[in-house]
Amino acid sequence: MTAVLRAQALGRRYGRRWALRECTLDIPAGHVVGLVGPNGAGKTTLLKLAGGQLTPTAGDITVLGGRPAGGPAQLAKVGFVAQDTPVYAGLSVAEHLRLGEQLNPRWDAATARERIARLGLDPAQRAGRLSGGQRAQLALTLGLAKRPELLILDEPVSSLDPLARREFLQHLMEATAERRFSVVLSSHLVHDLERVCDFLVVLVDSRVRVTGEVDDLLATHHRLTGPRRDPDRLPAGQHVISARHTDRQSTYVIRTDDPIHDPAWTVSRLSLEDLVLAYMDQRTAERRVALEVQR
Amino acid sequence: MIEFYLDGGSGVSPYLQLVQQVRHALRLGLLREGDQLPTVKEVVAQLAINANTVLKAYRELEHEGLVAARPGVGTFVTATLTDASLAAHGPLRLDLRRWLAKARRAGLDDESIEALFMSTFRTTAQEDIA
């Protein structure tokens, strides 16, 4: 199966600031990929590079085996729903569908009409008068009716209320169950994506911190709690992601493929949110260790 | 037909929660042989979860011989878990009640009881593995 997104030392600079650097990724097809990171981490830059709205300053990127926006065939394969699910305020819902039909060779008009009816949207309604949730659903309908092999969504739910957010994700997940296609969606909140994504990319400070299948990540990361111990006294196969110490106790988040036998540790599972936070915490942890060494 | 739910704070992965809910329903007799499970699309649309999560749960149940997939139709229950052990529940519950009363008389509060039970449960479970 072709990779849905492959990046090699990909970078993008705005003036002197790198928005994304040394990004190397290999995402297999058929996943719902969550791209997570704090605001300003480079998520939108990466998604725009994948969609072809931006060109790389360094490195390479291929999407579904082709160059982003490299021609009509490539454009037809990739759907892109930009941040805050923009629509044309002056056009009606029906006009949006007609526009989609004229612009997209593989347009599925029947499904689009059926979805609009099921959502209870009035085709004559101007998009500018829709609620945030309805606008997001309209944008999703357009993205799905295009029948892309990859649908990219940039922060699709962050501005929605909890109910609209849930409905949006329900519709998106239902669509992936009906017809297999890959999805990449970003959020600065892991919690929003925890249940929907089965592949994760964590981006912090313009760099990829961790990437992989969610099940694998959860199976290989553990929290260890026990009597205080220095990180250099952990077994070689245990990679420290984050560490916290009091005078008596140590709490580590580690990544390992091996079973943990040491009876001194209480070993517990991590939620996806804890796992992501541990990676985001990495920088502060490094700083803390440095301080302790100085002391 | 049963309806799934997800407990976000349980720490149990969503796929395992689905597996456990089916097993639980089988044990309680809520699901019987021949009953149909919700389709993958239904579960996905209801819970807003990844389709692979549901597929993985159903595959695991199939692997355990509890359900079977009929292509194009759905997934059906093929076994039951309401076995002879159900009869033992009554007496065991009675023993447990007596033990709980004893623990309370000894001055343990709810949290101490739970901690004692869970730590003993874990130790014996580990001894069984070892």
Side-chain angles (χ1 to χ4, degrees):
Chain A
M1 213 189 263
T2 0
V4 63
L5 194 159
R6 190 170 279 160
Q8 186 63 48
L10 180 69
R12 168 75 199 194
R13 203 175 50 198
Y14 297 107
R16 288 174 56 193
R17 200 181 76 82
W18 286 92
L20 186 73
R21 63 195 310 176
E22 288 162 53
C23 170
T24 297
L25 282 173
D26 191 353
I27 303 176
H31 284 290
V32 177
V33 182
L35 175 60
V36 183
N39 289 323
K43 302 189 296 291
T44 300
T45 301
L46 175 58
L47 295 183
K48 283 189 171 169
L49 286 164
Q53 290 104 311
L54 283 177
T55 51
T57 315
D60 295 311
I61 179 168
T62 53
V63 171
L64 299 164
R67 198 164 55 80
Q74 181 74 16
L75 286 170
K77 283 197 287 191
V78 181
F80 196 98
V81 178
Q83 203 157 1
D84 298 329
T85 55
V87 289
Y88 297 101
L91 296 185
S92 71
V93 171
E95 282 164 343
H96 274 89
L97 298 192
R98 270 206 297 282
L99 194 63
E101 188 161 11
Q102 278 157 21
L103 293 175
N104 293 285
R106 298 202 288 194
W107 188 256
D108 183 353
T111 308
R113 271 198 304 275
E114 189 257 334
R115 272 186 56 83
I116 294 299
R118 234 179 71 192
L119 290 163
L121 296 185
D122 174 7
Q125 175 88 274
R126 279 184 197 287
R129 309 198 57 178
L130 298 173
S131 71
Q134 289 172 326
R135 215 171 52 227
Q137 290 281 11
L138 174 59
L140 177 62
T141 302
L142 298 174
L144 292 173
K146 182 185 163 83
R147 287 178 159 278
E149 285 173 44
L150 166 65
L151 183 59
I152 298 172
L153 306 114
D154 191 3
E155 294 269 2
V157 296
S158 47
S159 60
L160 302 181
D161 65 69
L163 185 65
R165 182 176 306 180
R166 190 181 168 85
E167 280 172 356
F168 184 90
L169 292 175
Q170 281 174 323
H171 280 100
L172 177 61
M173 287 302 105
E174 190 179 7
T176 64
E178 270 168 3
R179 192 177 66 79
R180 299 317 295 256
F181 58 99
S182 303
V183 177
V184 176
L185 72 170
S186 68
S187 177
H188 60 284
L189 299 172
V190 201
H191 187 74
D192 286 342
L193 308 181
E194 191 153 22
R195 289 176 181 179
V196 302
C197 66
D198 53 3
F199 198 102
L200 190 74
V201 178
V202 177
L203 209 58
V204 182
D205 284 343
S206 10
R207 289 174 195 267
V208 175
R209 289 278 162 160
V210 66
T211 166
E213 284 197 37
V214 169
D215 284 347
D216 292 342
L217 292 176
L218 291 177
T220 51
H221 287 76
H222 309 273
R223 182 189 288 112
L224 309 181
T225 318
R228 188 180 165 120
R229 190 187 302 188
D230 288 333
D232 52 12
R233 289 183 50 222
L234 293 176
Q238 297 185 355
H239 305 284
V240 176
I241 309 305
S242 77
R244 285 170 185 279
H245 306 281
T246 68
D247 50 347
R248 289 184 191 172
Q249 196 186 40
S250 289
T251 305
Y252 286 102
V253 171
I254 59 150
R255 177 174 198 163
T256 182
D257 291 323
D258 311 321
I260 299 154
H261 291 303
D262 194 331
W265 294 122
T266 302
V267 184
S268 52
R269 287 180 53 104
L270 291 172
S271 68
L272 200 60
E273 190 160 11
D274 292 338
L275 194 151
V276 171
L277 286 174
Y279 277 95
M280 290 188 184
D281 197 30
Q282 242 176 351
R283 234 171 26 129
T284 39
E286 281 156 16
R287 226 179 286 142
R288 236 185 341 256
V289 168
L291 275 178
E292 278 173 25
V293 168
Q294 278 176 9
R295 213 169 33 196
Chain B
M1 186 75 87
I2 58 165
E3 201 172 80
F4 293 108
Y5 59 90
L6 287 180
D7 180 356
S10 70
V12 180
S13 67
Y15 109 88
L16 210 54
Q17 289 191 41
L18 301 183
V19 171
Q20 285 171 351
Q21 282 168 38
V22 171
R23 282 205 214 114
H24 194 73
L26 286 168
R27 273 201 196 95
L28 296 176
L30 288 171
L31 276 177
R32 294 192 198 88
E33 260 181 87
D35 283 349
Q36 187 178 1
L37 294 184
T39 64
V40 174
K41 194 181 138 188
E42 281 165 355
V43 182
V44 160
Q46 184 214 334
L47 298 177
I49 57 172
N50 192 290
N52 290 331
T53 306
V54 188
L55 287 168
K56 189 174 168 190
Y58 281 14
R59 262 202 309 274
E60 166 123 1
L61 290 163
E62 243 182 288
H63 188 71
E64 289 175 17
L66 298 176
V67 306
R70 285 187 223 148
V73 192
T75 305
F76 293 84
V77 176
T78 51
T80 172
L81 283 176
T82 52
D83 55 7
S85 79
L86 197 64
H89 283 201
L92 283 170
R93 190 191 299 271
L94 207 65
D95 284 352
L96 207 51
R97 276 169 177 279
R98 282 199 200 109
W99 181 84
L100 283 171
K102 221 161 125 184
R104 288 230 167 74
R105 275 202 301 277
L108 276 76
D109 60 9
D110 287 359
E111 250 178 56
S112 312
I113 291 174
E114 207 179 310
L116 180 60
F117 176 82
M118 281 319 293
S119 72
T120 314
F121 183 81
R122 276 201 213 101
T123 328
T124 52
Q126 267 164 12
E127 280 164 10
D128 287 348
I129 294 167

